Amino acid sequence: MTGTAVEDTIVAPDGSVVEDMGGIYYAVLTLRALLPDKVRIAPVLAVGADAYGRVRRDMEGLPGVEAGALLPVEAVNNKVRLEYRDAEEREETLRGGIGPLAWGDLEPWVDRLDAWLWNFVAGNETDRETFGRVKRAFGGPIHLDVHSLCLEHDSDGPRRPRRPERWEAWVEGVRWVQCNESEAGLLWRGRDDPLPADEERRFAGRCHELGAEGVLVSRGSAGACWHPADGEPLEQDAVGTGEAVDPTGCGDVLGAAWIALRAGRGLEAGEALAGAVRAAGAAAGIRGTSSLRQALERAAVLTGEPA
């Protein structure tokens, strides 16, 4: 997998603050909880010098996670402040100096991975040309979570939505495309508002034309939708796993759970979608990542019945 390890400061609507590791942590912990024990996980990502020791120790503490895939860089690690106005609306401010990964950083993993989750947590994990090179060289399925490709990269203040240049070139050649409703609107119409159902289908259809097996659209507290290339859309309502307290990382968990269940365990699309939505619901019931694995265990994502 590739993304960014982030030091999060999460400010809730009531003013309470949680500081924890976030970003790719949500995906790593979800994969470890849901994949078979024998499957190894390689977080191929750059980590700033000030956080590298902690991130490496955290990854070494997880069974089957290859901490040697981490790439230390002489830069300040990414730090994100998330200030929520309400249950889902927020402002995000990014600090740090982690730059894009080069082909030389990624090429050694092309023949070592069976599936590759790309979660653009920061939005600049690599450039479009290098990502294209990865897609051409890699023989397994790629899951693309659009995520912060749809946010400005060079602002000192709160990050603002933006439509990435040549978005179709990012999507072309991946097997699974993931975005939330606002991101789908940005990609398709250049506006960060949800698409009407017919336009969402047309957007998904364009992704299918570019080679995607399907498009996973997250809907926050309303669940998610899977748009397959070979059938009708599958809607999955959010399932109750307790009170939702923080949406941070829910999309990261959704995507990681999807690839764990679909690629790692071979579940059919409907089962994988239901499990992924259940996992995201479990993440919404906690704040930060420290108790994420326990929350996923309580949600019993693999059985569909809460513990």
Side-chain angles (χ1 to χ4, degrees):
M1 76 173 67
T2 298
T4 302
V6 173
E7 298 169 81
D8 274 343
T9 298
I10 304 169
V11 184
D14 64 4
S16 59
V17 177
V18 168
E19 295 183 344
D20 205 348
M21 298 303 294
I24 206 67
Y25 270 62
Y26 286 98
V28 173
L29 291 165
T30 300
L31 290 175
R32 186 64 286 158
L34 300 183
L35 284 170
D37 292 342
K38 66 180 180 180
V39 175
R40 298 191 65 80
I41 300 164
V44 184
L45 50 111
V47 184
D50 57 318
Y52 179 77
R54 175 180 179 177
V55 175
R56 185 174 181 109
R57 287 192 300 272
D58 288 346
M59 298 302 159
E60 287 176 338
L62 295 170
V65 175
E66 296 192 16
L70 300 172
L71 304 168
V73 296
E74 291 299 323
V76 175
N77 196 63
N78 283 16
K79 307 171 198 310
V80 169
R81 182 178 179 86
L82 300 164
E83 296 191 45
Y84 282 91
R85 293 187 290 271
D86 54 36
E88 295 188 3
E89 293 294 321
R90 72 189 189 192
E91 285 193 343
E92 176 177 336
T93 305
L94 171 66
R95 300 284 186 271
I98 301 299
L101 294 168
W103 170 246
D105 301 318
L106 301 165
E107 190 273 337
W109 295 95
V110 165
D111 295 324
R112 297 179 61 183
L113 302 178
D114 296 310
W116 204 329
L117 168 60
W118 278 80
N119 185 339
F120 280 83
V121 174
N124 66 339
E125 277 74 4
T126 196
D127 58 50
R128 188 174 56 241
E129 180 180 350
T130 302
F131 189 53
R133 195 169 180 181
V134 169
K135 289 184 288 185
R136 290 189 296 272
F138 185 60
I142 292 176
H143 180 107
L144 167 63
D145 185 349
V146 172
H147 206 154
S148 293
L149 287 176
C150 288
L151 289 176
E152 295 174 343
H153 298 165
D154 55 0
S155 173
D156 290 332
R159 303 183 77 184
R160 301 302 181 194
R162 64 92 191 248
R163 187 185 200 182
E165 294 183 8
R166 296 182 58 198
W167 71 267
E168 292 173 321
W170 286 101
V171 167
E172 186 175 16
V174 305
R175 182 170 299 183
W176 302 305
V177 179
Q178 179 185 345
C179 56
N180 63 33
E181 292 178 298
S182 295
E183 292 157 0
L186 277 168
L187 296 180
W188 190 241
R189 296 196 300 186
R191 302 199 303 270
D192 64 336
D193 52 329
L195 297 170
D198 59 337
E199 285 197 64
E200 186 173 287
R201 290 193 186 196
R202 286 198 290 272
F203 161 67
R206 180 57 183 144
C207 294
H208 300 152
E209 292 172 353
L210 294 167
E213 175 188 285
V215 179
L216 182 62
V217 179
S218 60
R219 306 200 190 286
S221 59
C225 181
W226 167 246
H227 292 271
D230 59 355
E232 293 299 311
L234 299 175
E235 295 277 358
Q236 177 63 56
D237 292 337
V239 290
T241 55
E243 180 183 1
V245 297
D246 184 2
T248 306
C250 290
D252 307 302
V253 170
L254 180 82
W258 167 267
I259 198 170
L261 299 175
R262 188 84 171 109
R265 292 191 176 271
L267 297 188
E268 294 297 326
E271 295 176 296
L273 178 64
V277 170
R278 178 173 288 277
I286 61 170
R287 301 183 69 189
T289 58
S290 299
S291 59
L292 178 58
R293 290 185 72 188
Q294 295 91 327
L296 292 171
E297 289 171 2
R298 290 194 302 271
V301 172
L302 295 175
T303 65
E305 294 295 334

